[in-house]
Amino acid sequence: MPIDAYANRFVCDLVAYEPGKPIEETARELGLDPADIVKLASNENPLGPSPLAKAAMATALDESHIYPDGGGWKLRTAIAKRFDLDISNVVLGNGSNEIIELLCHSFLNGRAELIASDHAFVVYKLMATLFGAKYVEVPDPGYVHDLEAMADAITPDTRLVFIANPNNPTGTVVGQEALDRFMALVPEHVVVCFDEAYHEFLDDAPDMLKYVREGRNVAILRTCSKIHGLAALRIGYGLCSKGVAEILQKARQPFNTNAIAQAGALAALEDADHVAKTRAINKEGLAFYEAAFRERGLEFVPSVANFILVRVGEGDRVFREMLKQGVIIRAMSGYKLPDWVRISIGTPAQNRRCIEVLDSVLVPANV
């Protein structure tokens, strides 16, 4: 019998998460020069990593033969100080994705439920399925979380609710008032996870940290992959009430974040100049794409993150045709949005190239 006959059926039936296509793989497959390829598929920082982080990582390389600080004391202390929390509120992860997995390890089983919004990050469903839990998907009118409906969906079996704010892939955000109303309805047996991977791109961000300070059962996810430009390092963190944090610390692997990543993140968090430059180029890019889409009569979802969702018709075809010309974007059929693509914000030159190539592959009805 094939080996999958002995594996867990719910794992075999999963569709594996498909990341944005790498530049090197695209170059090999299509015979293109990697230098001519524009990748706008994975919401990466077009300015690259923080210069302060690069210097710190270079120094840390000299001690690569030594195991990292398994407790991440320096980095966790700096994060706690930054947000006026205690170090016991901070959990480090191999990317904020690992914090998602730790939450699911800790709270999900075959009797539990995870609630998330329709068109939210696909990893939530993937993790719920891996841990045998029921995945409850709540419709999102206008591609915005419907928090009242999500609160209504909570049952005695609900253990986790995920609110991506801003949401990926829609780029929409829920405001403070709606979040506060939602939190007033959440019972004690539920842990609310605020996935804030794109938090730093907001001008007026909601304050969810107050719920950590109040000791509510919450976990706030942040990452160094986006605005800090450290995606390759896989370093993120959770800001949690002490009770939740203690559980996650027990669930994580020893040495789950490496020393190079810890050093880079520690320096990147202090690089306000890099953050400011990234925010500025992102705002410029969002304005460019919105103007371009309006000019072409293309429907799009106004975004507050570092990407934008646009309806092009036959998203998979548009992705493939643009790929042939060396521009990598993200098709959205995996998010039940087959007519849409998601485009990450790049440099001005990359954004212009993207629109030029998009124009060349759109059918006349969509131009």
Side-chain angles (χ1 to χ4, degrees), residues 205-216:
D207 175 22
M208 296 295 100
L209 287 172
K210 64 181 180 180
Y211 293 109
V212 175
R213 299 187 183 100
E214 291 174 6
R216 294 291 301 275

Side-chain angles (χ1 to χ4, degrees), residues 14-334:
L14 276 174
V15 176
Y17 176 78
E18 187 174 343
K21 204 167 182 65
I23 289 176
E24 294 78 8
E25 181 182 340
T26 302
R28 286 195 304 270
E29 289 181 355
L30 301 178
L32 300 174
D33 184 345
D36 294 333
I37 294 175
V38 172
K39 184 186 178 189
L40 300 174
S42 299
N43 306 339
E44 295 151 337
N45 190 323
L47 298 181
S50 154
L52 297 184
K54 290 170 68 175
M57 290 186 288
T59 300
L61 283 172
D62 290 336
E63 295 188 347
S64 298
H65 59 296
I66 299 174
Y67 279 101
D69 176 2
W73 187 86
K74 286 184 179 179
L75 180 54
R76 288 173 62 220
T77 297
I79 292 170
K81 182 178 180 181
R82 183 183 188 88
F83 299 111
D84 193 26
L85 298 172
D86 188 82
I87 188 174
S88 62
N89 296 121
V90 183
V91 181
L92 300 183
N94 184 33
S96 58
N97 257 34
E98 189 186 20
I99 309 297
I100 296 173
E101 185 173 358
L102 295 179
L103 285 162
C104 294
H105 262 297
S106 301
F107 295 102
L108 295 187
N109 54 49
R111 301 177 303 279
E113 297 174 352
L114 184 157
I115 295 174
S117 179
D118 200 9
H119 306 119
F121 190 30
V122 294
V123 168
Y124 307 151
K125 184 175 183 178
L126 180 68
M127 287 293 107
T129 306
L130 280 174
F131 290 98
K134 180 181 179 181
Y135 184 70
V136 180
E137 207 164 41
V138 177
D140 58 343
Y143 305 108
V144 180
H145 284 61
D146 185 343
L147 295 187
E148 290 187 12
M150 293 178 77
D152 289 342
I154 293 174
T155 75
D157 294 325
T158 304
R159 291 296 175 267
L160 295 173
V161 176
F162 277 84
I163 298 172
N165 206 39
N167 183 51
N168 173 25
T170 64
T172 56
V173 68
V174 182
Q176 187 76 58
E177 186 177 339
L179 289 163
D180 289 341
R181 287 198 305 268
F182 171 80
M183 286 300 296
L185 300 172
V186 177
E188 290 186 355
H189 68 273
V190 175
V191 177
V192 182
C193 175
F194 297 103
D195 190 343
E196 297 186 345
Y198 303 93
H199 172 86
E200 292 88 354
F201 292 100
L202 295 175
D203 289 328
D204 185 20
D207 175 22
M208 296 295 100
L209 287 172
K210 64 181 180 180
Y211 293 109
V212 175
R213 299 187 183 100
E214 291 174 6
R216 294 291 301 275
N217 293 327
V218 300
I220 298 171
L221 275 55
R222 300 281 177 86
T223 182
C224 295
S225 296
K226 307 304 180 186
I227 205 154
H228 300 295
L230 302 181
L233 296 184
R234 310 308 304 127
I235 184 77
Y237 55 94
L239 306 170
C240 314
S241 58
K242 291 184 180 180
V244 172
E246 286 175 1
I247 293 171
L248 300 189
Q249 293 287 19
K250 294 175 181 178
R252 70 176 178 84
Q253 289 287 326
F255 309 112
N256 65 321
T257 59
N258 69 76
I260 311 301
Q262 289 185 33
L266 185 62
L269 289 171
E270 299 301 321
D271 196 344
D273 183 58
H274 189 68
V275 168
K277 289 178 179 177
T278 302
R279 284 169 56 90
I281 197 172
N282 189 69
K283 284 188 175 185
E284 179 184 342
L286 283 173
F288 169 82
Y289 279 113
E290 289 187 3
F293 297 152
R294 288 192 183 99
E295 182 181 340
R296 289 157 178 78
L298 296 174
E299 180 184 354
F300 65 93
V301 179
S303 174
V304 295
N306 67 339
F307 55 84
I308 191 163
L309 194 65
V310 59
R311 190 170 193 167
V312 295
E314 296 183 291
D316 287 340
R317 181 193 67 81
V318 170
F319 160 76
R320 291 192 302 268
E321 293 300 316
M322 292 185 68
L323 187 67
K324 292 176 184 177
Q325 298 186 52
V327 175
I328 311 172
I329 58 172
R330 193 72 174 267
M332 288 285 104
S333 54

Side-chain angles (χ1 to χ4, degrees), residues 7-22:
N8 290 324
R9 190 73 259 152
F10 58 83
V11 176
C12 295
D13 292 341
L14 276 174
V15 176
Y17 176 78
E18 187 174 343
K21 204 167 182 65

